[in-house]
Amino acid sequence: MKINRRNFLKGLGATVALSTLPGTQSFAYNPLYLKNPKDEIFVFVFLKGGCDALNFIAPMGDRHYADARLTELQVPENAKFTLKNGLDDLDFNIHPKASALKELYDSGNMAVIPALGLSNGTRSHFEAIKLIEQGLTENKGSAQGWMTRYFETISATGALPAVSIGNNGLSAAFAGCSQAISMDKISAFKVIGEPVLQEVLANFYQGETDLHQAGQKALSTIKYLQNKKIDDAHYHPEHGANYPSKWNVKSFAESLQNLAQLIKMDAGVHIATVEYDGWDHHENQAYHFPLRLKGLSDALAAFYNDLTQYHHRMTMVVMSEFGRRLKSNRSGGTDHGHGGLALVLGGQVKGGKMYGEWPGLATHQLNNNVDLEVTTDYRTVLSEVLSKQLDNNNIETIFPNFTPPKMLGFL
């Protein structure tokens, strides 16, 4: 990311003092400052656009599934794509384009939670994304993201405890977080212009407000990275990892590669977000979805293999804002639905297994008789990661008005 007088704010963690805007609300209270003793790394991958979970992983031998969809929008019935340890004695298959993810599943490094999402039934991209990033199920006018509330319960250390990687800017999950930074390429995260500009900015951002602290954070991060003399062009992934470079996944793969490089720098990365959009397939899904799914699968596998030495303290969660309709539409695509899925990867994950409850695909089992029902609230998955991996039990502070049910047990 190039930073000059005009776009310097893009790298700031605070969203221009959002908490001072009228009508906004902070849910944080009596924060308990706890240092995470295990120094865990949590990576949140958000598939924006509404990924079709039923074209990703689906039950086999279900006539309701076969009857509702075009053949090319179904997961093939082939034994080599079957995921062992499914749910309710059902066989679930994964799309053949996600073969790299199946390898991670079979090796015990990945768990699958189907029928996951928001419980309020929204089919609006904007509303669903906003609520998930805020950690809510209804709009409370919050100025904070759920990751911001998490950081208010710990005492984070390191140069980069909170970071959004990619060209979409800071994730709204970090809204109001003065410790968070957004960047595209590591080597480009610097002040462009006269050398004196960095000194001028340092003087300008002396103060105690969220904006001042965020400015100081951005400048200190720039200085830290400058001292490391980063060279993106000559980065060499480890353990045979091969990040895909095709047009449909290049940006996402580069973001993951940059994140891997940051983690290996031991810069104190604690929570990181990466987005992969383009999943809104209302038409011609048979062409677009397999390309995007293969890109996702190959990029995640490359990132995971590149960071083999960090598996013992790294957890990844992959999810979308919602799934798609069971029935395909007349344009060869699927419309906005309800239940989606989540993938959880990590060395501590009890992988090679599916978790949760499968609601079924008969008409009377569907949400509004058309969509996969949500049986696992998305916050249940995040809460299990927070409590079991990050040793943080302030769940009701981080996710207001939410008491997690019994843990799923994937950790």
Side-chain angles (χ1 to χ4, degrees):
M1 179 180 64
K2 295 181 179 180
I3 303 181
N4 52 33
R5 290 178 178 85
R6 174 170 295 185
N7 63 16
F8 177 74
L9 286 175
K10 181 179 178 182
L12 302 186
T15 53
V16 195
L18 271 176
S19 60
T20 64
L21 294 176
T24 61
Q25 179 180 356
S26 171
F27 290 104
Y29 61 95
N30 296 328
L32 302 176
Y33 293 102
L34 305 174
K35 176 69 174 68
N36 177 23
K38 293 199 293 185
D39 198 22
E40 289 287 323
I41 300 168
F42 174 52
V43 179
F44 183 72
V45 178
F46 205 170
L47 309 180
K48 289 190 172 180
C51 175
D52 185 3
L54 292 173
N55 201 181
F56 195 152
I57 294 170
M60 296 295 99
D62 189 320
R63 65 177 180 83
H64 303 289
Y65 179 70
D67 293 345
R69 292 190 156 224
L70 296 171
T71 302
E72 55 268 32
L73 301 188
Q74 297 178 29
V75 179
E77 292 201 34
N78 187 316
K80 68 180 181 179
F81 305 134
T82 300
L83 301 178
K84 58 186 178 182
N85 300 317
L87 294 174
D88 301 332
D89 296 323
L90 294 173
D91 286 331
F92 286 78
N93 278 18
I94 192 168
H95 196 287
K97 292 296 183 180
S99 59
L101 288 177
K102 185 178 188 300
E103 289 184 18
L104 290 174
Y105 182 92
D106 290 343
S107 64
N109 287 282
M110 186 181 84
V112 175
I113 299 96
L116 172 137
L118 282 157
S119 58
N120 69 354
T122 182
R123 272 76 170 170
S124 162
H125 291 299
F126 176 79
E127 182 180 9
I129 290 171
K130 180 180 179 181
L131 290 173
I132 289 175
E133 291 177 326
Q134 291 178 334
L136 307 173
T137 55
E138 58 183 73
N139 189 358
K140 295 289 188 179
S142 173
Q144 288 185 320
W146 73 264
M147 293 180 184
T148 302
R149 293 194 293 275
Y150 166 77
F151 273 100
E152 289 182 339
T153 69
I154 69 169
S155 178
T157 59
L160 285 164
V163 60
S164 289
I165 301 288
N167 56 17
N168 292 325
L170 192 70
S171 168
F174 285 131
C177 181
S178 61
Q179 295 169 304
I181 290 292
S182 69
M183 66 173 65
D184 189 354
K185 292 186 176 182
I186 303 174
S187 60
F189 193 77
K190 56 188 176 183
V191 175
I192 305 298
E194 297 295 331
V196 71
L197 178 57
Q198 191 161 331
E199 182 179 345
V200 170
L201 289 171
N203 290 330
F204 178 79
Y205 285 102
Q206 293 301 314
E208 300 300 326
T209 69
D210 286 344
L211 182 58
H212 286 97
Q213 292 179 20
Q216 294 167 27
K217 179 64 182 175
L219 288 168
S220 66
T221 302
I222 289 170
K223 185 175 181 180
Y224 177 87
L225 296 177
Q226 285 176 337
N227 292 336
K228 289 289 184 178
K229 297 181 172 59
I230 300 300
D231 184 0
D232 304 294
H234 296 91
Y235 174 72
H236 298 290
E238 298 179 271
H239 307 289
N242 184 21
Y243 290 91
S245 58
K246 288 189 176 181
W247 62 270
N248 61 302
V249 69
K250 184 177 181 180
S251 179
F252 174 63
E254 287 180 345
S255 294
L256 289 176
Q257 181 172 302
N258 272 276
L259 178 55
Q261 193 171 6
L262 274 181
I263 290 172
K264 290 178 183 180
M265 289 165 49
D266 292 325
V269 174
H270 183 43
I271 294 186
T273 66
V274 185
E275 296 177 3
Y276 188 20
D277 56 16
W279 297 90
D280 196 14
H281 300 138
H282 289 278
E283 56 187 22
N284 201 14
Q285 183 171 316
Y287 170 77
H288 294 291
F289 185 83
L291 285 174
R292 197 152 293 272
L293 185 59
K294 178 172 175 54
L296 173 70
S297 177
D298 291 350
L300 288 176
F303 176 77
Y304 194 74
N305 291 331
D306 193 8
L307 291 172
T308 296
Q309 62 181 318
Y310 292 87
H311 285 181
H312 66 288
R313 62 186 182 97
M314 182 177 75
T315 306
M316 300 178 66
V317 172
V318 183
M319 68 173 64
S320 190
E321 69 265 33
F322 46 60
R324 316 291 293 189
R325 288 281 172 92
L326 169 61
K327 186 177 179 60
S328 51
N329 61 32
R330 296 181 180 180
S331 299
T334 50
D335 298 324
H336 298 177
H338 191 41
L341 61 74
L343 311 176
V344 186
L345 299 87
Q348 301 299 317
V349 173
K350 298 174 184 176
K353 186 177 179 180
M354 297 179 70
Y355 294 84
E357 178 184 348
W358 183 249
L361 296 177
T363 300
H364 70 278
Q365 296 171 318
L366 299 175
N367 182 270
N368 289 339
N369 295 326
V370 291
D371 293 330
L372 179 67
E373 185 62 90
V374 169
T375 58
T376 299
D377 189 298
Y378 76 100
R379 294 169 297 182
T380 299
V381 172
L382 298 176
S383 295
E384 185 159 342
V385 174
L386 291 176
S387 61
K388 289 192 175 182
Q389 286 303 105
L390 276 59
D391 289 334
N392 193 306
N393 293 314
N394 298 291
I395 302 303
E396 292 186 9
T397 298
I398 299 166
F399 301 118
N401 304 316
F402 175 69
T403 301
K406 181 181 178 181
M407 294 297 179
L408 297 174
F410 58 81
L411 288 171

